[in-house]
C-alpha cells in the first residue's frame, strides 16, 4: 500500500514534468512547412497520454466497482492504451470537416506521434505487471522514461534511413519507370518492419520515411508513378481501415470475449472526455507563452473533442495476457464501447460542432503566382530582419536548412534533370500553366495552330518522352500565355477557324449515295444536292483519270518549262490582279472573287498541298487559265453571269453567327464552291472541252429537260467521235482562244490526247458539247468564268 | 543583448520611440543592444557597411535591398530611432491593443497595411520616403512588368532561363492586374494578397 502511494506521488511528478502540448509541432507558427519542423518539436509531442493515464487511474481507483479485480498497474496499463488518439479515426473524420491547417496538424500530428508514447507506456506497464508490483524499482521507471526516447527517436531514425535509401534509388530509375511504385511501397514497408523488429516505434518510422523522402521522390519519379502510388495507397488505406473496424464490430458481437461492467464503462467514458479537455487546456496555456499566434478557446474545444480512439487501443487490449491481467475482459468491453462512442458520436457531431463554433475552415484557394512570389519575398525579408536583429529565429533556421538542402541533399538525391529546374516559383507557374492548358484544350482549342508553334527542343523538366504540348508551349516561352483570362480574348479567333473548318467540311464532305430516295415532295431538293455532288465527283474522277493518264506521257522537260512560263504568265498579268492577289491570304481567297484564283494558284504551288506530285505538275498548266482570269478581271464583273453558268455550285450553308463576323464571308453571296482540295487541279485547256462536256452532261441531268433539247440539237455539228483536230479546232474557234496559251503547250496537250483512252471519255462527254456551245453563246467570259469557277470550285 | 545595453534611459528619445513603435521596454533594450553591437565604431548611428557586416545578409537574395530600406531619404546613416521604426513593422499584431486603440491615432506601424507597405519598401532598390515603392523604381505608384521582372530575377534561381522568367512575369502581372493597364497598383497588390495572413507572416515573435 505504501509503495502504491509512493508510486502515486511519483507519477504526478513525472507527468507534470512533461506537460508540453504534444501537438504544438510545426503548427506553432501558423503554417505547415514541408515537414521540417517536426524535427524540432517532436520531443514535445509524446507526453500528453501520461497525464490522461494518471488521471484515469486516480478516477478508476476511486470509482470502480469491486467486481473488477485490478490493481494500480493494471489500471495504468489500461489508461495507457485507452488514452491514445488514433490517427486513422482522426484522419477519417477531419478530412471530412476541413478545419484550418493549424488545427488539423495539431490533432493529426498528435495522433501520429503518440504512437511512440503509447507503445512505450504499454510495454513498460505490461512488463511491470508481469514483474509484479512488488518487484518494480525506481530504476525501472528511469529505464521506462529512457526507453521512451529510444523508441521514438530510434523509430524516426530508421524511417529517415529508409527515406534516404528511397530517394537515392529513385534517382536512378529513369529507364525503368515501372518499378518506381514498387520501390516506394516496399521501402516504406521495410521501414515499418525494421522498426518492429527492433521494437521501436513502427508508425513513427513509416511517418518519417514518408516525410523525409517526399520532396526528392516526387521530383524523381514519373507522373504516372506518382499517380499510381497515390491511389494505391489510398485504396490500401481504406481497405485496411474497413477491415479493422469490421474486426471491431465482430468482436463486439462475440460475447465470449468481453464482460460488461457498467461502472467501468461509464466512468471511462466520462473521464476520457473530461481529462482530455483538462490536458488540452493546461498544455495550451503553456504553449501560448511561446506561440506567435495563440490557440484560442475554440481551437481548444476542437482539439479536445477531436481526440478519437480507434483500432490501436482495441488491438492493444486484445493482446493483454489474461493470466497476468485478470480484468482483461472488462477492459475489452470498455475499450469497445469507448471506441464506438468516440468514433460514432464524436465523429458524427464534430462537423456540426465545427460549423456552430465557426471554426476557421481551410481555404482552398487556387494557387496564384502572386502569392507564391510574395511568400518567398516575405520569407527572405524576415530572414534578413532576423539577421539584423540578431535573433536566430524560425526563419533563420529554416533558411539554413534550405541552403543545406540545396547544396548537398538535393544534389545527391534528386535526378539531374529534376534538380536543374527546381524552383518553387517555377513549380507553381508550371502547374498553373498545365492546368490552364488542360482547360484550354478541353474547351476545344487547338493549341498548336493558334500559336503557330513548331517543336522547340528546349530541355524540359520531364524526360523528352513526356514532352507534351504544354511543355512545348511553356518552354518555347511563346506569347501563348494560356491564362484563362487570355483564353477569352482568343476565343473569337479560334471560333472563326472552327466555323470555317466546320463549314468547309459540312459543305465539302460528300454524302454517301442514298439508296433510298424520298419521294416527290422533297425530291427536287434532294436530287439537286445529290446531283451536284455527283457532278463534282464525276469531275474529280475525270480529272484524276486525265491527270494520271497525262502524267504517264509527260515529258519531263515539260515540267521545266512550266515554272518559267508560269512566272511569265504571272508577270504578264494585270497589275491590279496581282496586287489584289498578293494582298490576300491564301485561305481567304476561296471566298473571294476571281482574284482568289490567281493567288491560290500561287499558293498551291508554294504551299504543301496534299496533291500528288504529278498533279502538281499539271497545275502548271493552270497558267493559261490564270491569264484568262486576269482578262476576266479586266472585263469586269463576273457575278452577273453566274446564273448562266452551269458550273457546279454548292449553296453554302446558312452562315453561322461566327461566320457572319468573318470578313470575307459577310459581303459575299454564294460565290464559294466548297469542294475538297483534291479537286483543285485544273485541267489543262486542251482538256477543257472534255471537261466542259462532262460538266454539261451532269448539268443536263439536273436541269429540267427542256434545256437539254437545245443542247442536243446543237450537237449535230459535232460528230460523236471527236477526233484530234477537233479539239484544237474547238479551241481555236472558241473565244477561249483568247486564253492564248503558248502554242507549244497546246501542241503538247494535243499530243497527249492521242490515246484512245481519252476518246471514250470524250465520247461520253460528247452530249455536253452542245451545252458548252450554249455557254459559248455568251461572250468568252462565260467560258472563262466557267473555267475560273471550275478552278475555283476546286479551290478549297 | 550585449554588455552595453543596461538601462532604458540611456536610449535617446526613448519615449517617443516607444510611442511610435509600440515596442515594449524589453524589446527596446534588446534592440538597442543589437544596435550598439552593430555599430562598431561607436558612431551613434549605423552605416551601410555596418549592416553589410552581417554575413547572413550576403547570401540573402534581397539582402542589399533590405539594407537599403533602413536608409530612408537617401541618407547614409541611420540612428536608433530609424532602426527601431523600420523594425516596428515586424512587431506582432496585438489583438487587444488593436481594439483599444484610439481611432484618431495614426495607424500603428505594424498594421496590415503598413506591413504590406513595408514589404514594398524592402523590395525597391532605391530608398524612398513614400511607402509604396515595391518594385516601383520609377515611383509612379505602379509595379510595371519590368520592375516585377527584376525582382523575380533576384528571387528565382539561376536555373530558370530568361524566357521562362518572362513568362512567369507576364503571368504574375496578369493575375494581379485588374484594370488591364499592364501594371499592378498598390490596391491591386493588396487585393492579390488578401488571402495571405500578412499579419502573421510579417511578424517576428521576439519583437513583441
Amino acid at each position: 500500500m505504501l509503495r502504491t502511494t509512493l508510486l502515486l506521488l511519483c507519477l504526478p511528478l513525472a507527468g507534470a514534468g512533461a506537460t508540453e502540448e504534444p501537438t504544438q509541432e510545426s503548427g506553432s507558427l501558423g503554417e505547415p512547412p514541408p515537414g521540417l519542423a517536426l524535427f524540432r518539436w517532436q520531443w514535445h509531442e509524446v507526453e500528453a497520454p501520461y497525464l490522461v493515464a494518471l488521471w484515469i487511474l486516480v478516477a478508476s481507483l476511486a470509482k470502480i466497482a469491486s467486481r473488477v479485480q485490478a490493481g494500480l498497474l493494471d489500471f495504468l496499463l489500461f489508461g495507457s492504451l485507452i488514452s491514445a488518439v488514433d490517427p486513422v479515426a482522426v484522419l477519417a473524420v477531419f478530412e471530412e470537416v476541413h478545419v484550418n491547417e493549424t488545427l488539423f496538424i495539431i490533432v493529426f500530428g498528435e495522433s501520429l506521434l503518440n504512437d511512440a508514447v503509447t507503445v512505450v507506456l504499454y510495454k513498460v506497464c505490461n512488463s511491470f505487471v508481469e514483474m509484479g508490483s512488488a518487484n518494480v524499482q525506481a530504476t525501472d521507471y528511469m529505464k521506462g522514461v529512457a526507453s521512451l526516447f529510444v523508441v521514438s527517436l530510434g523509430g524516426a531514425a530508421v524511417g529517415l534511413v529508409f527515406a534516404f535509401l528511397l530517394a537515392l534509388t529513385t534517382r536512378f530509375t529513369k529507364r525503368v519507370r515501372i518499378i518506381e511504385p514498387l520501390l516506394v511501397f516496399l521501402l516504406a514497408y521495410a521501414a515499418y518492419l525494421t522498426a518492429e523488429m527492433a521494437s521501436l516505434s513502427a508508425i513513427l518510422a513509416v511517418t518519417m520515411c514518408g516525410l523525409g523522402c517526399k520532396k526528392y521522390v516526387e521530383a524523381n519519379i514519373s507522373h504516372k508513378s506518382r499517380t499510381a502510388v497515390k491511389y494505391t495507397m489510398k485504396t490500401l488505406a481504406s481497405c485496411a481501415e474497413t477491415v479493422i473496424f469490421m474486426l471491431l464490430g465482430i468482436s463486439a458481437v462475440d460475447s465470449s470475449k468481453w464482460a460488461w461492467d457498467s461502472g467501468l464503462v461509464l466512468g471511462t467514458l466520462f473521464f476520457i472526455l473530461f481529462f482530455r479537455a483538462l490536458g488540452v487546456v493546461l498544455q495550451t496555456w503553456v504553449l501560448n507563452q511561446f506561440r506567435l499566434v495563440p490557440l484560442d478557446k475554440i481551437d481548444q474545444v476542437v482539439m479536445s473533442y477531436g481526440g478519437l480512439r480507434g483500432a490501436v487501443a482495441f488491438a492493444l487490449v486484445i493482446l493483454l495476457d489474461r493470466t497476468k491481467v485478470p480484468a482483461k475482459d472488462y477492459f475489452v468491453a470498455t475499450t469497445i464501447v469507448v471506441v464506438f462512442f468516440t468514433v460514432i458520436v464524436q465523429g458524427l457531431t464534430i462537423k456540426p460542432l465545427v460549423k456552430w463554433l465557426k471554426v476557421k475552415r481551410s481555404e482552398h484557394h487556387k494557387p496564384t503566382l502572386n502569392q507564391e512570389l510574395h511568400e518567398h519575398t516575405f520569407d527572405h525579408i524576415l530572414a534578413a530582419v532576423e539577421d539584423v536583429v540578431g535573433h536566430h529565429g524560425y526563419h533563420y533556421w529554416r533558411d539554413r536548412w534550405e541552403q543545406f538542402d540545396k547544396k548537398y541533399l538535393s544534389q545527391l538525391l534528386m535526378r539531374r534533370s529534376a534538380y536543374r529546374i527546381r524552383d518553387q516559383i517555377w513549380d507553381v507557374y508550371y502547374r498553373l500553366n498545365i492546368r490552364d492548358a488542360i482547360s484550354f484544350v478541353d474547351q476545344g482549342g487547338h493549341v498548336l495552330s493558334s500559336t503557330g508553334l513548331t517543336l522547340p527542343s528546349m530541355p524540359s523538366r520531364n524526360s523528352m518522352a513526356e514532352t507534351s504540348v504544354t511543355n512545348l508551349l511553356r518552354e518555347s516561352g511563346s506569347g501563348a500565355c494560356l491564362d484563362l483570362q487570355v483564353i477569352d480574348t482568343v476565343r473569337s479567333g479560334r471560333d472563326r477557324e472552327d466555323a470555317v473548318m466546320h463549314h468547309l467540311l459540312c459543305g465539302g464532305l460528300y454524302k454517301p449515295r442514298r439508296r433510298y430516295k424520298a419521294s416527290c415532295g422533297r425530291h427536287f431538293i434532294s436530287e439537286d444536292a445529290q446531283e451536284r455532288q455527283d457532278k463534282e465527283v464525276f469531275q474529280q474522277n475525270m480529272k484524276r483519270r486525265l491527270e494520271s493518264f497525262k502524267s504517264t506521257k509527260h515529258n519531263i522537260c515539260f515540267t521545266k518549262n512550266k515554272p518559267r512560263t508560269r512566272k511569265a504568265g504571272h508577270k504578264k498579268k494585270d497589275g491590279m490582279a496581282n496586287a489584289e492577289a498578293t494582298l490576300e491570304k491564301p485561305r481567304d481567297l476561296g471566298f473571294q472573287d476571281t482574284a482568289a484564283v490567281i493567288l491560290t494558284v500561287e499558293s498551291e504551288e508554294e504551299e504543301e498541298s496534299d496533291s500528288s506530285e504529278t498533279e502538281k505538275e499539271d497545275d502548271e498548266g493552270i497558267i493559261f487559265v490564270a491569264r484568262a482570269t486576269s482578262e476576266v478581271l479586266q472585263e469586269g464583273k463576273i457575278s452577273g453571269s453566274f446564273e448562266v453558268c452551269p458550273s457546279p455550285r454548292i449553296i453554302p450553308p446558312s452562315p453561322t453567327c461566327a461566320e457572319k463576323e468573318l470578313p470575307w464571308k459577310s459581303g459575299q453571296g454564294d460565290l464559294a464552291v466548297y469542294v475538297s482540295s483534291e479537286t483543285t487541279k485544273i485541267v489543262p485547256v486542251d482538256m477543257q472541252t472534255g471537261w466542259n462536256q462532262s460538266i454539261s452532261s451532269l448539268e443536263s441531268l439536273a436541269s429540267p429537260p427542256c434545256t437539254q433539247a437545245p443542247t442536243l440539237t446543237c450537237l449535230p455539228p459535232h460528230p460523236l467521235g471527236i477526233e484530234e483536230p477537233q479539239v484544237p479546232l474547238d479551241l481555236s474557234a472558241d473565244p477561249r482562244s483568247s486564253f492564248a496559251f503558248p502554242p507549244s503547250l497546246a501542241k503538247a496537250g494535243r499530243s497527249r490526247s492521242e490515246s484512245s483512252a481519252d476518246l471514250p471519255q470524250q465520247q461520253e462527254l460528247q452530249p455536253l458539247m452542245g451545252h458548252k456551245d450554249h455557254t459559248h453563246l455568251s461572250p468568252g467570259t462565260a467560258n472563262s468564268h466557267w473555267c475560273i469557277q471550275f478552278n475555283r470550285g476546286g479551290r478549297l | 543583448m550585449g554588455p552595453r545595453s543596461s538601462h532604458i534611459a540611456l536610449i535617446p528619445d526613448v519615449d517617443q520611440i516607444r510611442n511610435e513603435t509600440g515596442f515594449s521596454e524589453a524589446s527596446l533594450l534588446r534592440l538597442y543592444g543589437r544596435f550598439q553591437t552593430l555599430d562598431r565604431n561607436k558612431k551613434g548611428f549605423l552605416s551601410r557597411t555596418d549592416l553589410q557586416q552581417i554575413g547572413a545578409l550576403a547570401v540573402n537574395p534581397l539582402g542589399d535591398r533590405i539594407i537599403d530600406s533602413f536608409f530612408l531619404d537617401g541618407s547614409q546613416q541611420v540612428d536608433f530611432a530609424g532602426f527601431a521604426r523600420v523594425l516596428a513593422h515586424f512587431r506582432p499584431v496585438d489583438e487587444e491593443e488593436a481594439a483599444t486603440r484610439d481611432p484618431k491615432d495614426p495607424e500603428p506601424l505594424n498594421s496590415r497595411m503598413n506591413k504590406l507597405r513595408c514589404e514594398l519598401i524592402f523590395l525597391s532598390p532605391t530608398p524612398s520616403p513614400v511607402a509604396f515603392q515595391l518594385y516601383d523604381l520609377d515611383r509612379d505608384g505602379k509595379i510595371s512588368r519590368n520592375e516585377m521582372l527584376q525582382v523575380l530575377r533576384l528571387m528565382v534561381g539561376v536555373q530558370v532561363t530568361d524566357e521562362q522568367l518572362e513568362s512567369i512575369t507576364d503571368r504574375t502581372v496578369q493575375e494581379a492586374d485588374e484594370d488591364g493597364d499592364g501594371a499592378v497598383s498598390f490596391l491591386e497588390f493588396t487585393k492579390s494578397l488578401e488571402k495571405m495572413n500578412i499579419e502573421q507572416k510579417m511578424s517576428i515573435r521576439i519583437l513583441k
Side-chain angles (χ1 to χ4, degrees), chain A residues 30 59 92 116 119 187 191 289-290 356 496 503 528 695-696 699 735 763:
Chain A
V119 162
L187 279 174
Q289 311 302 314
F290 303 105
W356 179 53
R496 282 191 204 175
H503 284 293
D528 272 358
I695 298 295
S696 322
E699 286 291 342
Q763 277 174 348

Side-chain angles (χ1 to χ4, degrees), chain A residues 92-282:
Chain A
V93 166
F94 270 70
E95 235 176 284
E96 276 288 312
V97 178
H98 295 301
V99 291
N100 62 49
E101 279 112 10
T102 308
L103 216 45
F104 177 69
I105 205 76
I106 287 176
V107 182
F108 185 58
E110 178 199 347
S111 63
L112 271 184
L113 298 176
N114 73 4
D115 175 64
V117 178
T118 310
V119 162
V120 166
L121 267 184
Y122 180 80
K123 286 200 181 129
V124 163
C125 292
N126 218 0
S127 46
F128 283 0
V129 164
E130 283 176 23
M131 288 186 330
S133 60
N135 303 331
V136 176
Q137 295 157 10
T139 52
D140 293 328
Y141 294 118
M142 292 301 119
K143 278 196 227 164
V145 172
S147 76
L148 173 69
F149 289 102
V150 168
V151 162
S152 50
L153 294 176
V158 167
L160 286 177
V161 165
F162 278 93
F164 186 79
L165 272 178
L166 184 56
L168 197 57
T169 46
T170 51
R171 183 177 163 191
F172 302 109
T173 56
K174 184 165 179 182
R175 256 162 275 185
V176 269
R177 293 277 190 199
I178 194 68
I179 67 169
E180 280 167 352
L182 268 182
L183 271 180
V184 174
F185 292 139
L186 291 177
L187 279 174
Y189 192 52
Y192 178 85
L193 292 175
T194 313
E196 271 294 314
M197 183 175 69
S199 72
L200 303 170
S201 165
I203 292 186
L204 263 185
V206 174
T207 309
M208 286 301 149
C209 180
L211 277 170
C213 77
K214 175 188 185 232
K215 175 175 171 191
Y216 311 105
V217 169
E218 223 178 29
N220 286 342
I221 66 181
S222 73
H223 190 65
K224 286 184 189 165
S225 303
R226 229 175 295 161
T227 316
V229 169
K230 178 171 162 188
Y231 286 104
T232 314
M233 289 292 195
K234 282 196 179 184
T235 313
L236 281 179
S238 82
C239 288
E241 263 175 60
T242 313
V243 167
I244 283 178
F245 281 104
M246 223 167 25
L247 175 63
L248 204 63
I250 291 174
S251 308
V253 177
D254 182 3
S255 62
S256 68
K257 297 241 172 67
W258 48 266
W260 178 267
D261 183 82
S262 320
L264 183 61
V265 167
L266 290 174
T268 311
L269 274 179
F270 173 68
F271 283 117
I272 54 172
L273 286 173
F274 176 67
F275 288 121
R276 179 165 173 91
L278 193 62
V280 163
V281 165
L282 283 177

Side-chain angles (χ1 to χ4, degrees), chain B residues 3-14 17 29 32 36 80:
Chain B
R4 285 175 281 184
S5 64
S6 44
H7 201 272
I8 194 89
L10 289 175
I11 308 174
D13 300 327
V14 64
I17 296 176
L29 271 174
Y32 192 63
Q36 285 177 323
F80 181 66

